[in-house]
Amino acid sequence: DAMVIQNPRYQVTQFGKPVTLSCSQTLNHNVMYWYQQKSSQAPKLLFHYYDKDFNNEADTPDNFQSRRPNTSFCFLDIRSPGLGDAAMYLCATSRDRVEGGGNFYNEQFFGPGTRLTVL
Amino acid sequence: AQSVTQPDIHITVSEGASLELRCNYSYGATPYLFWYVQSPGQGLQLLLKYFSGDTLVQGIKGFEAEFKRSQSSFNLRKPSVHWSDAAEYFCAVEGFQKLVFGTGTRLLVSP
């Protein structure tokens, strides 16, 4: 089945130690997103790639970076994790704009997430 | 800018009873609206979406939602709740290729 895969599902890192989270997709979607979700909160968009074009949200800290080496893979790098970065990180993909009833909309497909713990 | 309000943080429903989760949105143009469900420790699963046409949309797992433009609402309903429906539910509105989520409603199902 076509899907969005995130590895690892659980990641433990030390304060200040760089960590990389991975997302891959078999949907061949051209847009990939990274969200941060803290406990009991809504997902918050960090950035997204439209093909190779990187789009950073204005309030995303510089500590967070991303790479997309090809259509299938996207990585989230946290250069110096702090305790406040402990969260669930969700990857999502979408197939650009999908036509429905004469309108175009964006439907996102989510991976299972990576739970990051910072010690 | 678009925004979503889910006024209920928690809702408890008896198994077999009906359910309605509220969602209000703010958006200047025709909204594209979504309901997602998240089980503990899992990603988000799309339940249903509205972009145009019939204001009553059917989704997976027996859920439906009704778009009411006059009330800026997109409430989620299910006629009979099952224990497996216990989860977090997020309403979202799409604008400029981005999803804006509400803060979520946690559904608890009692025996």
Side-chain angles (χ1 to χ4, degrees), chain A residues 9 33 35 37 41-43 50 57 88 96-97 100-101 103-108 110-112, chain B residues 32 34 36 38 41-44 46 49 51-52 90 94 96-99 101-104 106:
Chain A
R9 293 293 311 278
Y33 306 80
Y35 290 85
Q37 186 182 23
Q41 296 184 21
Y50 189 108
E57 292 301 295
M88 174 78 89
D96 197 355
R97 307 291 286 178
N103 297 302
F104 290 85
Y105 66 97
N106 173 287
E107 179 178 342
Q108 297 186 20
F110 284 81
Chain B
Y32 301 143
F34 304 82
Y36 284 88
Q38 186 178 34
Q42 301 297 315
L44 298 173
L46 181 66
K49 57 184 179 283
F51 44 86
S52 69
F90 291 96
E94 190 226 342
F96 307 106
Q97 293 194 315
K98 298 177 185 178
L99 282 179
F101 289 90
T103 50
R106 181 168 297 277

mmCIF file of all heavy atoms in Angstrom, chain A residues 9 33 35 37 41-43 50 57 88 96-97 100-101 103-108 110-112, chain B residues 32 34 36 38 41-44 46 49 51-52 90 94 96-99 101-104 106:
data_model
loop_
_atom_site.group_PDB
_atom_site.id
_atom_site.type_symbol
_atom_site.label_atom_id
_atom_site.label_comp_id
_atom_site.label_asym_id
_atom_site.label_seq_id
_atom_site.Cartn_x
_atom_site.Cartn_y
_atom_site.Cartn_z
ATOM 1 N N ARG A 9 10.298 5.501 15.099
ATOM 2 C CA ARG A 9 9.039 5.882 15.726
ATOM 3 C C ARG A 9 9.289 6.571 17.065
ATOM 4 O O ARG A 9 8.516 7.438 17.482
ATOM 5 C CB ARG A 9 8.161 4.647 15.946
ATOM 6 C CG ARG A 9 7.673 3.993 14.656
ATOM 7 C CD ARG A 9 6.693 4.912 13.894
ATOM 8 N NE ARG A 9 5.651 5.425 14.761
ATOM 9 C CZ ARG A 9 4.559 4.756 15.090
ATOM 10 N NH1 ARG A 9 4.362 3.541 14.634
ATOM 11 N NH2 ARG A 9 3.649 5.318 15.866
ATOM 12 N N TYR A 33 5.662 17.882 4.168
ATOM 13 C CA TYR A 33 5.533 18.804 5.296
ATOM 14 C C TYR A 33 6.146 18.179 6.548
ATOM 15 O O TYR A 33 6.083 16.965 6.745
ATOM 16 C CB TYR A 33 4.058 19.071 5.608
ATOM 17 C CG TYR A 33 3.205 19.555 4.457
ATOM 18 C CD1 TYR A 33 2.703 18.655 3.516
ATOM 19 C CD2 TYR A 33 2.877 20.895 4.324
ATOM 20 C CE1 TYR A 33 1.909 19.095 2.469
ATOM 21 C CE2 TYR A 33 2.084 21.346 3.280
ATOM 22 C CZ TYR A 33 1.597 20.435 2.356
ATOM 23 O OH TYR A 33 0.805 20.869 1.331
ATOM 24 N N TYR A 35 5.600 18.769 10.726
ATOM 25 C CA TYR A 35 4.856 19.398 11.802
ATOM 26 C C TYR A 35 5.480 19.008 13.143
ATOM 27 O O TYR A 35 5.976 17.904 13.314
ATOM 28 C CB TYR A 35 3.403 18.917 11.824
ATOM 29 C CG TYR A 35 2.536 19.386 10.681
ATOM 30 C CD1 TYR A 35 2.512 18.692 9.476
ATOM 31 C CD2 TYR A 35 1.723 20.500 10.825
ATOM 32 C CE1 TYR A 35 1.692 19.105 8.441
ATOM 33 C CE2 TYR A 35 0.903 20.923 9.791
ATOM 34 C CZ TYR A 35 0.889 20.224 8.610
ATOM 35 O OH TYR A 35 0.074 20.641 7.583
ATOM 36 N N GLN A 37 4.225 18.568 17.071
ATOM 37 C CA GLN A 37 3.022 18.483 17.905
ATOM 38 C C GLN A 37 3.432 18.208 19.343
ATOM 39 O O GLN A 37 3.907 17.114 19.659
ATOM 40 C CB GLN A 37 2.074 17.406 17.407
ATOM 41 C CG GLN A 37 0.748 17.384 18.159
ATOM 42 C CD GLN A 37 -0.188 16.291 17.710
ATOM 43 O OE1 GLN A 37 0.235 15.285 17.147
ATOM 44 N NE2 GLN A 37 -1.483 16.466 17.930
ATOM 45 N N GLN A 41 -1.627 19.412 22.148
ATOM 46 C CA GLN A 41 -1.719 20.589 21.287
ATOM 47 C C GLN A 41 -1.956 20.180 19.843
ATOM 48 O O GLN A 41 -1.771 19.019 19.464
ATOM 49 C CB GLN A 41 -0.446 21.432 21.379
ATOM 50 C CG GLN A 41 -0.207 22.030 22.751
ATOM 51 C CD GLN A 41 1.008 22.940 22.768
ATOM 52 O OE1 GLN A 41 1.446 23.437 21.731
ATOM 53 N NE2 GLN A 41 1.554 23.159 23.957
ATOM 54 N N ALA A 42 -2.339 21.133 19.040
ATOM 55 C CA ALA A 42 -2.521 20.885 17.615
ATOM 56 C C ALA A 42 -1.165 20.814 16.919
ATOM 57 O O ALA A 42 -0.186 21.400 17.387
ATOM 58 C CB ALA A 42 -3.366 21.994 16.996
ATOM 59 N N PRO A 43 -1.094 20.105 15.813
ATOM 60 C CA PRO A 43 0.148 20.119 15.031
ATOM 61 C C PRO A 43 0.465 21.540 14.552
ATOM 62 O O PRO A 43 -0.435 22.289 14.151
ATOM 63 C CB PRO A 43 -0.175 19.212 13.850
ATOM 64 C CG PRO A 43 -1.297 18.353 14.305
ATOM 65 C CD PRO A 43 -2.092 19.199 15.235
ATOM 66 N N TYR A 50 7.881 22.161 -1.622
ATOM 67 C CA TYR A 50 7.082 22.024 -2.835
ATOM 68 C C TYR A 50 8.079 21.623 -3.915
ATOM 69 O O TYR A 50 8.818 22.462 -4.429
ATOM 70 C CB TYR A 50 6.378 23.340 -3.169
ATOM 71 C CG TYR A 50 5.371 23.222 -4.273
ATOM 72 C CD1 TYR A 50 4.025 23.277 -3.995
ATOM 73 C CD2 TYR A 50 5.762 23.052 -5.598
ATOM 74 C CE1 TYR A 50 3.080 23.179 -4.993
ATOM 75 C CE2 TYR A 50 4.836 22.943 -6.601
ATOM 76 C CZ TYR A 50 3.498 23.008 -6.298
ATOM 77 O OH TYR A 50 2.570 22.892 -7.294
ATOM 78 N N GLU A 57 8.332 28.281 7.748
ATOM 79 C CA GLU A 57 7.379 29.125 8.450
ATOM 80 C C GLU A 57 8.146 30.207 9.195
ATOM 81 O O GLU A 57 9.258 29.987 9.686
ATOM 82 C CB GLU A 57 6.537 28.310 9.432
ATOM 83 C CG GLU A 57 5.593 27.336 8.749
ATOM 84 C CD GLU A 57 4.625 28.022 7.822
ATOM 85 O OE1 GLU A 57 3.782 28.812 8.317
ATOM 86 O OE2 GLU A 57 4.708 27.779 6.610
ATOM 87 N N MET A 88 6.058 15.233 19.419
ATOM 88 C CA MET A 88 5.822 14.318 18.308
ATOM 89 C C MET A 88 6.083 15.108 17.031
ATOM 90 O O MET A 88 5.605 16.236 16.894
ATOM 91 C CB MET A 88 4.384 13.811 18.339
ATOM 92 C CG MET A 88 3.999 12.970 17.144
ATOM 93 S SD MET A 88 4.616 11.299 17.247
ATOM 94 C CE MET A 88 3.250 10.531 18.112
ATOM 95 N N ASP A 96 0.036 18.190 -4.461
ATOM 96 C CA ASP A 96 -0.233 19.522 -4.978
ATOM 97 C C ASP A 96 -1.711 19.824 -4.817
ATOM 98 O O ASP A 96 -2.320 19.507 -3.811
ATOM 99 C CB ASP A 96 0.238 19.635 -6.430
ATOM 100 C CG ASP A 96 0.375 21.069 -6.879
ATOM 101 O OD1 ASP A 96 0.021 21.975 -6.110
ATOM 102 O OD2 ASP A 96 0.824 21.302 -8.000
ATOM 103 N N ARG A 97 -2.297 20.403 -5.798
ATOM 104 C CA ARG A 97 -3.693 20.773 -5.706
ATOM 105 C C ARG A 97 -4.520 19.707 -6.410
ATOM 106 O O ARG A 97 -4.262 19.356 -7.542
ATOM 107 C CB ARG A 97 -3.927 22.124 -6.369
ATOM 108 C CG ARG A 97 -3.008 23.196 -5.867
ATOM 109 C CD ARG A 97 -3.314 23.570 -4.452
ATOM 110 N NE ARG A 97 -4.528 24.354 -4.352
ATOM 111 C CZ ARG A 97 -5.033 24.785 -3.208
ATOM 112 N NH1 ARG A 97 -4.447 24.465 -2.077
ATOM 113 N NH2 ARG A 97 -6.134 25.498 -3.177
ATOM 114 N N GLY A 100 -11.581 19.197 -7.168
ATOM 115 C CA GLY A 100 -12.807 18.589 -6.671
ATOM 116 C C GLY A 100 -13.961 19.538 -6.907
ATOM 117 O O GLY A 100 -13.980 20.630 -6.338
ATOM 118 N N GLY A 101 -14.876 19.191 -7.740
ATOM 119 C CA GLY A 101 -16.036 20.034 -7.988
ATOM 120 C C GLY A 101 -15.680 21.370 -8.587
ATOM 121 O O GLY A 101 -16.356 22.374 -8.323
ATOM 122 N N ASN A 103 -13.060 23.027 -7.902
ATOM 123 C CA ASN A 103 -12.144 23.739 -7.018
ATOM 124 C C ASN A 103 -10.893 22.901 -6.794
ATOM 125 O O ASN A 103 -10.887 21.693 -7.029
ATOM 126 C CB ASN A 103 -12.831 24.000 -5.673
ATOM 127 C CG ASN A 103 -14.028 24.895 -5.818
ATOM 128 O OD1 ASN A 103 -13.921 26.009 -6.305
ATOM 129 N ND2 ASN A 103 -15.182 24.402 -5.418
ATOM 130 N N PHE A 104 -9.867 23.567 -6.346
ATOM 131 C CA PHE A 104 -8.624 22.857 -6.067
ATOM 132 C C PHE A 104 -8.335 22.930 -4.578
ATOM 133 O O PHE A 104 -8.419 23.978 -3.978
ATOM 134 C CB PHE A 104 -7.473 23.460 -6.870
ATOM 135 C CG PHE A 104 -7.584 23.180 -8.336
ATOM 136 C CD1 PHE A 104 -8.338 23.978 -9.156
ATOM 137 C CD2 PHE A 104 -6.938 22.093 -8.897
ATOM 138 C CE1 PHE A 104 -8.465 23.718 -10.510
ATOM 139 C CE2 PHE A 104 -7.046 21.812 -10.244
ATOM 140 C CZ PHE A 104 -7.815 22.629 -11.056
ATOM 141 N N TYR A 105 -8.001 21.831 -4.005
ATOM 142 C CA TYR A 105 -7.689 21.815 -2.591
ATOM 143 C C TYR A 105 -6.504 20.903 -2.351
ATOM 144 O O TYR A 105 -6.044 20.202 -3.242
ATOM 145 C CB TYR A 105 -8.893 21.345 -1.769
ATOM 146 C CG TYR A 105 -9.275 19.913 -2.006
ATOM 147 C CD1 TYR A 105 -8.833 18.904 -1.155
ATOM 148 C CD2 TYR A 105 -10.057 19.544 -3.082
ATOM 149 C CE1 TYR A 105 -9.156 17.582 -1.362
ATOM 150 C CE2 TYR A 105 -10.386 18.229 -3.299
ATOM 151 C CZ TYR A 105 -9.945 17.251 -2.442
ATOM 152 O OH TYR A 105 -10.272 15.947 -2.666
ATOM 153 N N ASN A 106 -6.050 20.943 -1.142
ATOM 154 C CA ASN A 106 -4.830 20.241 -0.764
ATOM 155 C C ASN A 106 -5.168 19.223 0.316
ATOM 156 O O ASN A 106 -5.589 19.599 1.392
ATOM 157 C CB ASN A 106 -3.822 21.281 -0.250
ATOM 158 C CG ASN A 106 -2.583 20.669 0.327
ATOM 159 O OD1 ASN A 106 -2.615 20.107 1.409
ATOM 160 N ND2 ASN A 106 -1.509 20.777 -0.398
ATOM 161 N N GLU A 107 -5.038 17.939 0.013
ATOM 162 C CA GLU A 107 -5.303 16.895 1.002
ATOM 163 C C GLU A 107 -3.976 16.300 1.453
ATOM 164 O O GLU A 107 -3.197 15.833 0.619
ATOM 165 C CB GLU A 107 -6.185 15.805 0.417
ATOM 166 C CG GLU A 107 -6.476 14.676 1.400
ATOM 167 C CD GLU A 107 -7.396 13.623 0.840
ATOM 168 O OE1 GLU A 107 -8.081 13.911 -0.168
ATOM 169 O OE2 GLU A 107 -7.431 12.514 1.396
ATOM 170 N N GLN A 108 -3.745 16.319 2.721
ATOM 171 C CA GLN A 108 -2.474 15.843 3.261
ATOM 172 C C GLN A 108 -2.626 14.459 3.875
ATOM 173 O O GLN A 108 -3.620 14.168 4.535
ATOM 174 C CB GLN A 108 -1.943 16.837 4.304
ATOM 175 C CG GLN A 108 -1.629 18.209 3.709
ATOM 176 C CD GLN A 108 -0.982 19.143 4.687
ATOM 177 O OE1 GLN A 108 -0.413 18.731 5.694
ATOM 178 N NE2 GLN A 108 -1.057 20.430 4.396
ATOM 179 N N PHE A 110 -0.724 11.784 6.408
ATOM 180 C CA PHE A 110 0.230 11.846 7.510
ATOM 181 C C PHE A 110 0.891 10.502 7.770
ATOM 182 O O PHE A 110 0.254 9.447 7.651
ATOM 183 C CB PHE A 110 -0.471 12.317 8.780
ATOM 184 C CG PHE A 110 -0.755 13.785 8.801
ATOM 185 C CD1 PHE A 110 -1.859 14.306 8.143
ATOM 186 C CD2 PHE A 110 0.085 14.656 9.469
ATOM 187 C CE1 PHE A 110 -2.117 15.667 8.151
ATOM 188 C CE2 PHE A 110 -0.166 16.021 9.492
ATOM 189 C CZ PHE A 110 -1.264 16.536 8.826
ATOM 190 N N GLY A 111 2.153 10.579 8.193
ATOM 191 C CA GLY A 111 2.829 9.407 8.711
ATOM 192 C C GLY A 111 2.468 9.195 10.171
ATOM 193 O O GLY A 111 1.762 10.007 10.774
ATOM 194 N N PRO A 112 2.987 8.105 10.772
ATOM 195 C CA PRO A 112 2.633 7.777 12.159
ATOM 196 C C PRO A 112 3.327 8.651 13.190
ATOM 197 O O PRO A 112 2.946 8.622 14.364
ATOM 198 C CB PRO A 112 3.075 6.321 12.295
ATOM 199 C CG PRO A 112 4.189 6.191 11.317
ATOM 200 C CD PRO A 112 3.841 7.082 10.173
ATOM 201 N N TYR B 32 -11.897 25.125 2.624
ATOM 202 C CA TYR B 32 -11.711 23.683 2.463
ATOM 203 C C TYR B 32 -11.500 23.144 3.872
ATOM 204 O O TYR B 32 -10.553 23.535 4.561
ATOM 205 C CB TYR B 32 -10.521 23.391 1.567
ATOM 206 C CG TYR B 32 -10.650 23.997 0.188
ATOM 207 C CD1 TYR B 32 -9.548 24.524 -0.465
ATOM 208 C CD2 TYR B 32 -11.869 24.038 -0.466
ATOM 209 C CE1 TYR B 32 -9.658 25.087 -1.734
ATOM 210 C CE2 TYR B 32 -11.988 24.595 -1.726
ATOM 211 C CZ TYR B 32 -10.875 25.124 -2.359
ATOM 212 O OH TYR B 32 -10.995 25.674 -3.601
ATOM 213 N N PHE B 34 -11.519 19.980 6.901
ATOM 214 C CA PHE B 34 -11.148 18.596 7.128
ATOM 215 C C PHE B 34 -11.389 18.231 8.589
ATOM 216 O O PHE B 34 -11.284 19.066 9.488
ATOM 217 C CB PHE B 34 -9.651 18.386 6.826
ATOM 218 C CG PHE B 34 -9.234 18.793 5.442
ATOM 219 C CD1 PHE B 34 -8.955 20.117 5.142
ATOM 220 C CD2 PHE B 34 -9.091 17.848 4.440
ATOM 221 C CE1 PHE B 34 -8.553 20.503 3.870
ATOM 222 C CE2 PHE B 34 -8.691 18.220 3.159
ATOM 223 C CZ PHE B 34 -8.426 19.549 2.882
ATOM 224 N N TYR B 36 -9.700 15.272 11.103
ATOM 225 C CA TYR B 36 -8.728 14.210 11.276
ATOM 226 C C TYR B 36 -8.927 13.578 12.657
ATOM 227 O O TYR B 36 -9.342 14.254 13.606
ATOM 228 C CB TYR B 36 -7.301 14.757 11.210
ATOM 229 C CG TYR B 36 -6.798 15.096 9.833
ATOM 230 C CD1 TYR B 36 -7.024 16.353 9.281
ATOM 231 C CD2 TYR B 36 -6.083 14.168 9.086
ATOM 232 C CE1 TYR B 36 -6.549 16.669 8.017
ATOM 233 C CE2 TYR B 36 -5.599 14.480 7.817
ATOM 234 C CZ TYR B 36 -5.836 15.723 7.289
ATOM 235 O OH TYR B 36 -5.368 16.040 6.035
ATOM 236 N N GLN B 38 -6.804 11.213 15.628
ATOM 237 C CA GLN B 38 -5.477 10.777 16.059
ATOM 238 C C GLN B 38 -5.616 9.879 17.282
ATOM 239 O O GLN B 38 -6.046 10.339 18.345
ATOM 240 C CB GLN B 38 -4.597 11.986 16.382
ATOM 241 C CG GLN B 38 -3.156 11.623 16.711
ATOM 242 C CD GLN B 38 -2.296 12.849 16.971
ATOM 243 O OE1 GLN B 38 -2.753 13.845 17.511
ATOM 244 N NE2 GLN B 38 -1.024 12.774 16.575
ATOM 245 N N GLY B 41 -0.391 8.200 20.338
ATOM 246 C CA GLY B 41 0.891 7.812 19.795
ATOM 247 C C GLY B 41 0.909 7.578 18.298
ATOM 248 O O GLY B 41 1.896 7.053 17.769
ATOM 249 N N GLN B 42 -0.151 7.972 17.627
ATOM 250 C CA GLN B 42 -0.245 7.729 16.185
ATOM 251 C C GLN B 42 -0.294 9.032 15.398
ATOM 252 O O GLN B 42 -0.442 10.116 15.973
ATOM 253 C CB GLN B 42 -1.508 6.914 15.884
ATOM 254 C CG GLN B 42 -1.561 5.569 16.572
ATOM 255 C CD GLN B 42 -0.457 4.640 16.122
ATOM 256 O OE1 GLN B 42 -0.166 4.505 14.932
ATOM 257 N NE2 GLN B 42 0.185 3.983 17.071
ATOM 258 N N GLY B 43 -0.190 8.904 14.080
ATOM 259 C CA GLY B 43 -0.346 10.057 13.210
ATOM 260 C C GLY B 43 -1.804 10.405 13.013
ATOM 261 O O GLY B 43 -2.693 9.856 13.666
ATOM 262 N N LEU B 44 -2.043 11.313 12.105
ATOM 263 C CA LEU B 44 -3.397 11.782 11.840
ATOM 264 C C LEU B 44 -4.010 11.009 10.680
ATOM 265 O O LEU B 44 -3.366 10.807 9.652
ATOM 266 C CB LEU B 44 -3.371 13.271 11.491
ATOM 267 C CG LEU B 44 -2.845 14.212 12.566
ATOM 268 C CD1 LEU B 44 -2.711 15.611 12.030
ATOM 269 C CD2 LEU B 44 -3.757 14.184 13.773
ATOM 270 N N LEU B 46 -7.282 10.984 8.050
ATOM 271 C CA LEU B 46 -8.367 11.798 7.533
ATOM 272 C C LEU B 46 -9.698 11.070 7.651
ATOM 273 O O LEU B 46 -9.845 9.939 7.187
ATOM 274 C CB LEU B 46 -8.106 12.144 6.067
ATOM 275 C CG LEU B 46 -9.162 13.022 5.386
ATOM 276 C CD1 LEU B 46 -9.174 14.414 6.006
ATOM 277 C CD2 LEU B 46 -8.893 13.111 3.889
ATOM 278 N N LYS B 49 -13.701 15.283 4.342
ATOM 279 C CA LYS B 49 -13.314 16.609 3.868
ATOM 280 C C LYS B 49 -14.490 17.249 3.148
ATOM 281 O O LYS B 49 -15.368 16.581 2.623
ATOM 282 C CB LYS B 49 -12.117 16.525 2.928
ATOM 283 C CG LYS B 49 -12.351 15.619 1.716
ATOM 284 C CD LYS B 49 -11.093 15.499 0.891
ATOM 285 C CE LYS B 49 -11.300 14.582 -0.319
ATOM 286 N NZ LYS B 49 -11.277 13.151 0.075
ATOM 287 N N PHE B 51 -15.122 20.462 0.309
ATOM 288 C CA PHE B 51 -14.574 21.550 -0.493
ATOM 289 C C PHE B 51 -15.650 22.249 -1.307
ATOM 290 O O PHE B 51 -15.500 23.405 -1.668
ATOM 291 C CB PHE B 51 -13.449 21.056 -1.406
ATOM 292 C CG PHE B 51 -13.759 19.766 -2.106
ATOM 293 C CD1 PHE B 51 -14.443 19.740 -3.296
ATOM 294 C CD2 PHE B 51 -13.348 18.556 -1.568
ATOM 295 C CE1 PHE B 51 -14.731 18.551 -3.948
ATOM 296 C CE2 PHE B 51 -13.632 17.347 -2.214
ATOM 297 C CZ PHE B 51 -14.324 17.342 -3.399
ATOM 298 N N SER B 52 -16.742 21.580 -1.610
ATOM 299 C CA SER B 52 -17.840 22.224 -2.333
ATOM 300 C C SER B 52 -18.995 21.239 -2.411
ATOM 301 O O SER B 52 -18.881 20.095 -1.996
ATOM 302 C CB SER B 52 -17.408 22.630 -3.755
ATOM 303 O OG SER B 52 -17.195 21.483 -4.547
ATOM 304 N N PHE B 90 -9.308 16.419 15.353
ATOM 305 C CA PHE B 90 -8.871 17.741 14.943
ATOM 306 C C PHE B 90 -9.649 18.192 13.718
ATOM 307 O O PHE B 90 -9.746 17.468 12.730
ATOM 308 C CB PHE B 90 -7.378 17.742 14.599
ATOM 309 C CG PHE B 90 -6.469 17.543 15.766
ATOM 310 C CD1 PHE B 90 -5.975 16.291 16.084
ATOM 311 C CD2 PHE B 90 -6.097 18.633 16.555
ATOM 312 C CE1 PHE B 90 -5.130 16.108 17.166
ATOM 313 C CE2 PHE B 90 -5.252 18.454 17.644
ATOM 314 C CZ PHE B 90 -4.770 17.206 17.949
ATOM 315 N N GLU B 94 -8.020 24.663 5.265
ATOM 316 C CA GLU B 94 -6.887 24.833 4.386
ATOM 317 C C GLU B 94 -6.915 26.221 3.771
ATOM 318 O O GLU B 94 -7.951 26.686 3.293
ATOM 319 C CB GLU B 94 -6.881 23.803 3.261
ATOM 320 C CG GLU B 94 -5.592 23.821 2.474
ATOM 321 C CD GLU B 94 -5.792 23.787 0.984
ATOM 322 O OE1 GLU B 94 -6.887 23.414 0.548
ATOM 323 O OE2 GLU B 94 -4.841 24.119 0.259
ATOM 324 N N PHE B 96 -4.023 28.704 1.420
ATOM 325 C CA PHE B 96 -2.690 28.922 0.844
ATOM 326 C C PHE B 96 -1.818 27.669 0.984
ATOM 327 O O PHE B 96 -0.645 27.751 1.359
ATOM 328 C CB PHE B 96 -2.006 30.121 1.502
ATOM 329 C CG PHE B 96 -2.843 31.359 1.476
ATOM 330 C CD1 PHE B 96 -3.460 31.809 2.626
ATOM 331 C CD2 PHE B 96 -3.054 32.058 0.293
ATOM 332 C CE1 PHE B 96 -4.252 32.948 2.609
ATOM 333 C CE2 PHE B 96 -3.853 33.194 0.260
ATOM 334 C CZ PHE B 96 -4.444 33.643 1.426
ATOM 335 N N GLN B 97 -2.418 26.546 0.683
ATOM 336 C CA GLN B 97 -1.740 25.245 0.720
ATOM 337 C C GLN B 97 -1.241 24.853 2.100
ATOM 338 O O GLN B 97 -0.327 24.039 2.220
ATOM 339 C CB GLN B 97 -0.594 25.203 -0.283
ATOM 340 C CG GLN B 97 -1.063 25.257 -1.726
ATOM 341 C CD GLN B 97 0.030 24.881 -2.689
ATOM 342 O OE1 GLN B 97 1.155 25.326 -2.567
ATOM 343 N NE2 GLN B 97 -0.303 24.040 -3.651
ATOM 344 N N LYS B 98 -1.794 25.440 3.121
ATOM 345 C CA LYS B 98 -1.410 25.063 4.477
ATOM 346 C C LYS B 98 -2.654 24.683 5.260
ATOM 347 O O LYS B 98 -3.720 25.264 5.067
ATOM 348 C CB LYS B 98 -0.704 26.223 5.172
ATOM 349 C CG LYS B 98 0.574 26.658 4.507
ATOM 350 C CD LYS B 98 1.157 27.855 5.233
ATOM 351 C CE LYS B 98 2.388 28.382 4.513
ATOM 352 N NZ LYS B 98 2.942 29.583 5.202
ATOM 353 N N LEU B 99 -2.482 23.732 6.151
ATOM 354 C CA LEU B 99 -3.569 23.358 7.044
ATOM 355 C C LEU B 99 -3.413 24.112 8.360
ATOM 356 O O LEU B 99 -2.333 24.124 8.943
ATOM 357 C CB LEU B 99 -3.547 21.859 7.326
ATOM 358 C CG LEU B 99 -4.087 20.922 6.253
ATOM 359 C CD1 LEU B 99 -3.964 19.479 6.724
ATOM 360 C CD2 LEU B 99 -5.518 21.248 5.904
ATOM 361 N N PHE B 101 -4.951 23.923 12.065
ATOM 362 C CA PHE B 101 -5.700 23.002 12.905
ATOM 363 C C PHE B 101 -6.332 23.718 14.091
ATOM 364 O O PHE B 101 -5.791 24.706 14.619
ATOM 365 C CB PHE B 101 -4.775 21.912 13.464
ATOM 366 C CG PHE B 101 -4.307 20.919 12.441
ATOM 367 C CD1 PHE B 101 -3.140 21.137 11.726
ATOM 368 C CD2 PHE B 101 -5.030 19.767 12.190
ATOM 369 C CE1 PHE B 101 -2.696 20.223 10.780
ATOM 370 C CE2 PHE B 101 -4.597 18.846 11.252
ATOM 371 C CZ PHE B 101 -3.431 19.078 10.541
ATOM 372 N N GLY B 102 -7.453 23.181 14.542
ATOM 373 C CA GLY B 102 -7.975 23.551 15.837
ATOM 374 C C GLY B 102 -7.169 22.862 16.925
ATOM 375 O O GLY B 102 -6.284 22.039 16.643
ATOM 376 N N THR B 103 -7.471 23.164 18.166
ATOM 377 C CA THR B 103 -6.703 22.623 19.289
ATOM 378 C C THR B 103 -7.104 21.204 19.649
ATOM 379 O O THR B 103 -6.472 20.590 20.482
ATOM 380 C CB THR B 103 -6.849 23.522 20.517
ATOM 381 O OG1 THR B 103 -8.238 23.770 20.739
ATOM 382 C CG2 THR B 103 -6.134 24.847 20.302
ATOM 383 N N GLY B 104 -8.131 20.702 18.994
ATOM 384 C CA GLY B 104 -8.505 19.304 19.182
ATOM 385 C C GLY B 104 -9.537 19.098 20.273
ATOM 386 O O GLY B 104 -9.678 19.894 21.205
ATOM 387 N N ARG B 106 -10.714 15.843 22.727
ATOM 388 C CA ARG B 106 -10.442 14.461 23.140
ATOM 389 C C ARG B 106 -11.756 13.783 23.469
ATOM 390 O O ARG B 106 -12.509 14.259 24.327
ATOM 391 C CB ARG B 106 -9.524 14.416 24.355
ATOM 392 C CG ARG B 106 -9.194 12.985 24.791
ATOM 393 C CD ARG B 106 -8.053 12.941 25.799
ATOM 394 N NE ARG B 106 -6.812 13.450 25.240
ATOM 395 C CZ ARG B 106 -5.975 12.731 24.493
ATOM 396 N NH1 ARG B 106 -6.271 11.474 24.202
ATOM 397 N NH2 ARG B 106 -4.863 13.264 24.046
#
